[in-house]
Amino acid sequence: MPRRNKKGGKGRTNESNSEDESFDNVSVYSHFSENASSEATTDELANERYEEKFEKALEQSTEKSAQTRVQSLQAICELLMHRYMPDFVEDRKMTLLDFVEKSVRRGKGQEQVWGARLAPLLVLQLGGEEGISKAMNQFLLTTVQDKSVTFDARAKCCTALGLLNFLGSEDVAELVQLMQFFENVFSGSYLRGDDKIPVSVTSEAGTLHAEALSAWGLLLTLIPSGDFVSLMTTGDHLFPSIKKFLGLLQSPHLEVRMAAGETIALILESGRAHDEDFLEEHIGELCEAVKQLATDSHKYRAKRDRKAQRATFRDVLRYLEEDISPEINIRFGTECLTLDSWSIHHQYSALCTVMGPGMTSQLQDNEFIRDIFQLGAKLTNTGINGNAKLKPTKLERHLVNAAAFKARSISRGKNRDKRSAVVT
């Protein structure tokens, strides 16, 4: 590595254009202005590249080859996961909606899977427009009910339905109706009349039931606590009893057990917000069942499955016994989102399911997602007078370090010749 600030050389101490001296004369305002301008240009170029890729993928959406259409869906999903581009998507809204509908209605297998994955991404880009959600509801509902469709595709349609209505519906009656629809799906994992575990549920069917159960829990987070307690305790059986969910904990499929455990926590959290003694008579039985899963060491289960199960059910058990929810801090940029309740944790997990690794950038840029988690207005790089901090460039860090080094050298130099001799 080349050395800097070498000693020696004529006139070294009198150079007026040295790096250390020049730092003192740098205009802070112009420096930040140039930096902001450079970032804006870079961002524009990045936007152009994303838009070009999007247009190319959209052109392939009408190809006859199913494989090409699937690749197109995958490419568009990836772009929308990682980039917030609402204006660009708004201009192509009808084309994209038509693409999603054709993929789910007429496609097969992976084309239906990716079509369902694209549906909530569009709504997240467009700010939760209720009309869009309702436009896609019907063909997604039809696909979930179609037993000729693969379990994977039906599961993704359940996930999409839950998210679409979480993002775009405010009518409690409609939410309850959809929750009843989801129950009809995951009721396939209920214990039979003789309390026997259903043996006909395959692992693929278990995944479908788990997704429907998670979607049911997501919509539960939108139901006012008082209304929810009434619906759970009414004799009309609009919502399943806690005994039904208790039976789901005995499912042979990990995904169903974990979804059931989290849903039980959501049920109690919502009920306790209205009535602190909600379902108190069932707590003992629930604690016993959850404790068994939190300490499960059966060797016939995969080690990874046992670890995930124990972690989840330890949190559920702590909530049942001590009313303490797990707390997780999600850091992104200079901000932090705290997940301090089961409902907000479930909402965040549901959005992560569709956003994948792009969730961090979406939390920073997507105004709709920021509104969901009450993060306030998007932070912007506005320079020295802005609220956001600009990350210093490598040159800026070097100049600051050089100035600090010079200041230390001067300070120490003043005392170097004035050291008193120590007489022994």
Side-chain angles (χ1 to χ4, degrees):
M1 180 180 290
R3 294 181 180 179
R4 300 185 183 183
N5 298 332
K6 287 184 178 179
K7 292 184 180 179
K10 259 186 177 178
R12 177 68 184 86
T13 57
N14 296 322
E15 286 177 359
S16 61
N17 61 342
S18 71
E19 198 171 53
D20 293 347
E21 293 289 345
S22 65
F23 177 75
D24 297 334
N25 299 320
V26 172
S27 166
V28 176
Y29 288 93
S30 63
H31 193 71
F32 274 109
S33 176
E34 289 171 9
N35 188 51
S37 175
S38 174
E39 285 187 2
T41 303
T42 303
D43 201 46
E44 272 185 40
L45 291 172
N47 277 338
E48 286 180 10
R49 286 197 297 270
Y50 272 92
E51 289 172 4
E52 285 174 8
K53 289 179 181 178
F54 199 109
E55 288 285 11
K56 183 178 179 180
L58 201 55
E59 286 174 8
Q60 294 177 333
S61 66
T62 56
E63 293 289 334
K64 290 184 178 180
S65 167
Q67 184 178 355
T68 303
R69 294 196 302 271
V70 170
Q71 291 172 348
S72 171
L73 284 164
Q74 290 175 327
I76 292 173
C77 285
E78 286 289 331
L79 290 167
L80 296 184
M81 285 178 195
H82 292 89
R83 196 76 173 180
Y84 182 50
M85 43 204 307
D87 296 333
F88 187 80
V89 173
E90 176 67 39
D91 292 340
R92 294 152 184 81
K93 178 171 67 177
M94 299 312 296
T95 303
L96 287 164
L97 283 173
D98 185 57
F99 186 23
V100 171
E101 182 173 0
K102 285 180 179 176
S103 300
V104 175
R105 278 188 185 277
R106 304 176 189 174
K108 299 290 181 184
Q110 286 300 301
E111 188 172 358
Q112 290 177 304
V113 167
W114 284 97
R117 290 190 65 174
L118 178 55
L121 285 170
L122 294 182
V123 177
L124 286 164
Q125 289 281 338
L126 298 171
E129 193 175 316
E130 188 174 1
I132 299 176
S133 297
K134 288 187 174 179
M136 293 189 279
N137 267 357
Q138 192 53 56
F139 61 81
L140 288 169
L141 285 166
T142 303
T143 305
V144 173
Q145 293 172 305
D146 187 351
K147 294 185 178 179
S148 67
V149 176
T150 64
F151 283 117
D152 190 21
R154 291 166 67 194
K156 292 299 184 294
C157 286
C158 281
T159 302
L161 275 167
L163 280 164
L164 290 177
N165 288 274
F166 168 72
L167 299 170
S169 179
E170 298 179 357
D171 189 317
V172 173
E174 289 181 359
L175 293 174
V176 170
Q177 187 176 4
L178 185 56
M179 290 171 77
Q180 290 175 311
F181 172 82
F182 286 136
E183 189 203 348
N184 288 333
V185 177
F186 66 74
S187 63
S189 283
Y190 282 166
L191 296 181
R192 296 298 175 246
D194 53 358
D195 287 342
K196 293 288 182 66
I197 299 171
V199 294
S200 59
V201 179
T202 62
S203 60
E204 291 82 6
T207 300
L208 169 61
H209 297 170
E211 293 292 343
L213 185 52
S214 292
W216 189 95
L218 181 61
L219 298 186
L220 163 60
T221 65
L222 298 179
I223 306 291
S225 295
D227 293 342
F228 174 70
V229 170
S230 297
L231 290 164
M232 278 293 290
T233 56
T234 185
D236 296 335
H237 303 294
L238 294 176
F239 281 173
S241 68
I242 196 68
K243 289 280 189 181
K244 296 286 189 183
F245 292 104
L246 192 59
L248 291 174
L249 295 178
Q250 298 181 44
S251 170
H253 305 297
L254 174 67
E255 291 172 310
V256 175
R257 293 195 302 274
M258 290 178 62
E262 292 178 5
T263 304
I264 287 170
L266 285 168
I267 289 170
L268 287 168
E269 182 177 74
S270 180
R272 285 173 174 176
H274 179 74
D275 176 7
E276 61 182 14
D277 295 325
F278 178 69
L279 297 179
E280 192 65 27
E281 66 275 16
H282 297 285
I283 293 300
E285 190 178 7
L286 286 168
C287 285
E288 185 180 348
V290 169
K291 189 177 294 185
Q292 289 178 1
L293 293 168
T295 57
D296 185 4
S297 59
H298 290 303
K299 297 298 182 182
Y300 61 80
R301 301 195 202 281
K303 185 176 180 180
R304 186 175 180 182
D305 289 354
R306 292 200 307 269
K307 185 177 179 181
Q309 177 179 289
R310 287 198 295 263
T312 296
F313 284 99
R314 277 197 298 265
D315 287 338
V316 175
L317 182 62
R318 192 178 183 208
Y319 181 70
L320 292 176
E321 293 180 337
E322 304 174 43
D323 201 18
I324 298 175
S325 302
E327 186 171 311
I328 301 172
N329 292 318
I330 308 296
R331 298 191 179 278
F332 54 100
T334 59
E335 299 176 89
C336 180
L337 170 64
T338 301
L339 310 180
D340 55 2
S341 69
W342 285 98
S343 59
I344 193 172
H345 186 278
H346 196 67
Q347 291 170 2
Y348 180 80
S349 297
L351 289 174
C352 282
T353 299
V354 66
M355 282 297 179
M359 188 64 184
T360 301
S361 61
Q362 293 287 343
L363 281 171
Q364 290 178 296
D365 299 330
N366 191 312
E367 295 172 4
F368 182 47
I369 291 179
R370 292 182 66 86
D371 187 50
I372 290 171
F373 295 113
Q374 299 178 356
L375 290 168
K378 172 186 171 183
L379 298 183
T380 55
N381 292 337
T382 52
I384 199 71
N385 294 319
N387 294 322
K389 293 181 181 178
L390 285 171
K391 183 178 180 181
T393 63
K394 187 175 181 180
L395 175 60
E396 288 170 358
R397 291 196 301 272
H398 169 67
L399 294 175
V400 169
N401 290 337
F405 175 79
K406 181 182 177 183
R408 284 196 304 272
S409 298
I410 293 172
S411 175
R412 291 171 181 172
K414 288 178 181 178
N415 297 321
R416 198 163 284 146
D417 297 329
K418 298 177 184 178
R419 288 175 295 179
S420 58
V422 178
V423 179
T424 58

